[in-house]
Amino acid sequence: MEKTHAIELRNITKTFGKVVANKNVNLYVDKGIVMSLLGENGSGKTTLMNMLSGIYYPDEGEILIDGVPVTIKSPKDAYNYHIGMIHQHFKLVDVFSAAENIVLGLEEKGRLNYKNVSEKVKEIAEKYGFKIDPDKKIYDMSVSEKQTVEILKVLYRGADILILDEPTAVLTPQETEKLFEVIRAMKADGKAIIIITHKLNEVKEISDVVAIMRKGEHIKTVKTAEVTEKEMTEMMVGRQVELNISRTDVIDPKPRLTIANLNMYDENGFKRLDDVSFIAYSGEILGIAGIAGSGQRELLEAIAGLRKVDSGSIIYTPENNKFENLVGKSPIDIKNAGVSLAFVPEDRLGMGLVGSMGMTDNMLLRLWNKKKGVLVDKSDSKKLAEDVLNELEVATPSIDYPVRKLSGGNVQKVLVGREIASNPSVLMSAYAVRGLDINTSYTIYDLMSKQKEKGTSVIFVGEDLDVLLALSDRIMVMCDGKVSGIVDARKATKEEIGLLMTKSDREAQ
């Protein structure tokens, strides 16, 4: 007798115009199993899961739940078949409580009784080991608490098949372990769980099987215990790869950026940076860790002249020791002052590149003020685009193809390549590998290391503590806009950094 799977995909194909996102995918997940879904950017993972959650509808093939063919044309259909997807970017109403968000959109007979809702939420939370206050407002919650609400939302609706998209991307090591305990409890209760992640060490820790995607096709499903991280990566990319971060010693470090007592408020009067002080040296990588929203992004944007600083100083010291205070200067003022500063922002297409333009014109954005006369000569930017295309292996039909149509990894290669080409003495990067596949991520790490070896001061804001510990020379930890500690990356542990991520500098001292 043929075994019945919790969910099964048969010959699933999905196209967008001439682009084949998924091709004849055959895949299944059983009850009480945790499956990791791996693949490079553009391999079709998200498209496949979006068809399960009702966002897309397959062009060909069928989906079976408990052996029965079903039609899923909307997220409501997915809920009806007990499928729930927890997206990386939470979909919650900040001014509502946890319980209100959990029942939002549900059709109930008669008047909704929030007391009964709270009791049921507490019952589900206790069953799987969650810690949650049903009456707490979303705006008062930590990132992990918000994620808990999202998971409880689908469990409240009766989900037996859960899809988690990059669930640990913004969690501390301690929060990640708590999440894994919950996942194990759900697995023990017979739930089928699919996790999309790029962190191979977590794949090894939490999953039972790994499904590998490559160029829209399902390559293989293997037992996690029977495959190494290197083997998984080679199946993803279709060739041998080296997953090594080379960290050389810091040679003759000199101050490049000296930040002293930096304070900054946002447009709503909320203090984003609180008395931040540190020094970034030449020839080193200074990693910055912290829970999302701790001030990392605001700090880099303040240094780059994109945000107004309320008090404090940002002193840039080049090789000739001619000091320059960057506070009060716009990005153009900073460039005109001869400051060799490059910035890879978190928002690749909103702030870093113009999506409707190709590589050539986006390179021109870096070179335009070097041109003289009325007519624009694109020869230099075209050569730079071709160099970046070849050196970083950017997958694009042409250098004039709109960058918004490229995959996230290729967009990031264009942005990083353009900034590095300016030969900066300070290179700042905010979440350079967020959402990128493992192979592209290691390409970015290698680029950062090469800049360090050239004597560049590299400031690298990251989320993966394993990477920060392997790549950085020092790690500065931020919490609530403050510096809670600066540690030697060669000696520090994930647990030590995780504690600093949840403490202010005064508590740490």
Side-chain angles (χ1 to χ4, degrees), residues 305-499:
L306 297 168
R307 286 181 180 262
K308 179 185 175 184
V309 171
D310 291 282
S311 63
S313 60
I314 304 171
I315 304 299
Y316 170 75
T317 311
E319 291 288 349
N320 60 15
N321 290 321
K322 184 181 179 183
F323 299 97
E324 190 78 44
N325 192 345
L326 306 187
V327 171
K329 287 182 167 58
S330 68
I332 291 297
D333 293 335
I334 291 173
K335 191 171 184 178
N336 291 339
V339 176
S340 183
L341 179 72
F343 179 34
V344 180
E346 178 181 359
D347 188 356
R348 298 164 193 164
L349 290 176
M351 187 180 291
L353 301 168
V354 178
S356 60
M357 295 182 352
M359 289 180 64
T360 301
D361 289 337
N362 271 291
M363 298 301 159
L364 188 63
L365 296 176
R366 253 289 183 185
L367 305 171
W368 70 271
N369 64 343
K370 295 182 180 180
K371 307 293 182 181
K372 305 295 182 182
V374 179
L375 298 177
V376 177
D377 180 6
K378 293 187 179 181
S379 58
D380 289 346
S381 56
K382 184 177 180 181
K383 183 180 184 306
L384 178 55
E386 289 172 345
D387 289 344
V388 171
L389 175 76
N390 295 325
E391 290 178 22
L392 301 186
E393 299 180 348
V394 179
T396 177
S398 76
I399 56 175
D400 296 316
Y401 188 74
V403 295
R404 63 178 169 78
K405 294 185 178 181
L406 304 180
S407 70
N410 287 300
V411 170
Q412 191 71 334
K413 286 180 181 180
V414 173
L415 180 54
V416 172
R418 185 189 70 185
E419 294 304 301
I420 287 177
S422 65
N423 294 316
S425 61
V426 177
L427 172 62
M428 302 189 300
S429 170
Y431 306 108
V433 298
R434 176 179 282 171
L436 302 189
D437 60 75
I438 191 79
N439 195 40
T440 303
S441 296
Y442 274 80
T443 299
I444 301 297
Y445 304 148
D446 187 52
L447 289 171
M448 297 295 167
S449 296
K450 286 179 179 176
Q451 287 301 299
K452 164 194 166 178
E453 291 166 11
K454 290 180 180 179
T456 302
S457 174
V458 179
I459 301 176
F460 185 88
V461 176
E463 335 180 272
D464 190 326
L465 296 189
D466 289 300
V467 169
L468 281 174
L469 286 166
L471 180 68
S472 309
D473 298 292
R474 293 183 300 142
I475 298 175
M476 182 174 82
V477 187
M478 296 189 70
C479 177
D480 294 330
K482 302 176 183 179
V483 175
S484 55
I486 299 177
V487 299
D488 184 339
R490 291 170 173 80
K491 299 177 181 177
T493 64
K494 283 203 299 183
E495 290 69 28
E496 178 185 355
I497 295 171
L499 288 173

Side-chain angles (χ1 to χ4, degrees), residues 187-222:
K187 167 188 167 181
D189 192 43
K191 306 291 186 188
I193 302 165
I194 303 172
I195 299 177
I196 303 173
T197 181
H198 291 108
K199 299 180 181 180
L200 299 184
N201 59 322
E202 293 180 359
V203 169
K204 294 289 288 182
E205 182 177 349
I206 194 61
S207 64
D208 300 295
V209 295
V210 184
I212 309 292
M213 299 286 294
R214 186 169 73 232
K215 296 181 179 179
E217 298 183 42
H218 173 226
I219 300 302
K220 195 175 185 180
T221 296
V222 294

Side-chain angles (χ1 to χ4, degrees), residues 229-247:
E229 292 184 15
K230 190 172 187 294
E231 288 169 339
M232 286 189 282
T233 305
E234 289 174 357
M235 281 190 281
M236 279 193 288
V237 301
R239 56 183 169 80
Q240 288 192 342
V241 293
E242 290 297 327
L243 298 181
N244 295 315
I245 295 177
S246 175
R247 178 171 56 193

Side-chain angles (χ1 to χ4, degrees), residues 235-285:
M235 281 190 281
M236 279 193 288
V237 301
R239 56 183 169 80
Q240 288 192 342
V241 293
E242 290 297 327
L243 298 181
N244 295 315
I245 295 177
S246 175
R247 178 171 56 193
T248 56
D249 292 333
V250 178
I251 300 173
D252 191 25
K254 295 177 181 177
R256 283 290 170 264
L257 278 179
T258 303
I259 313 298
N261 310 115
L262 206 63
N263 292 281
M264 189 189 75
Y265 293 84
D266 64 16
E267 58 275 8
N268 297 316
F270 185 80
K271 198 167 192 178
R272 292 296 180 182
L273 297 177
D274 189 352
D275 202 33
V276 172
S277 299
F278 68 95
I279 300 174
Y281 294 93
S282 63
E284 78 154 4
I285 296 179

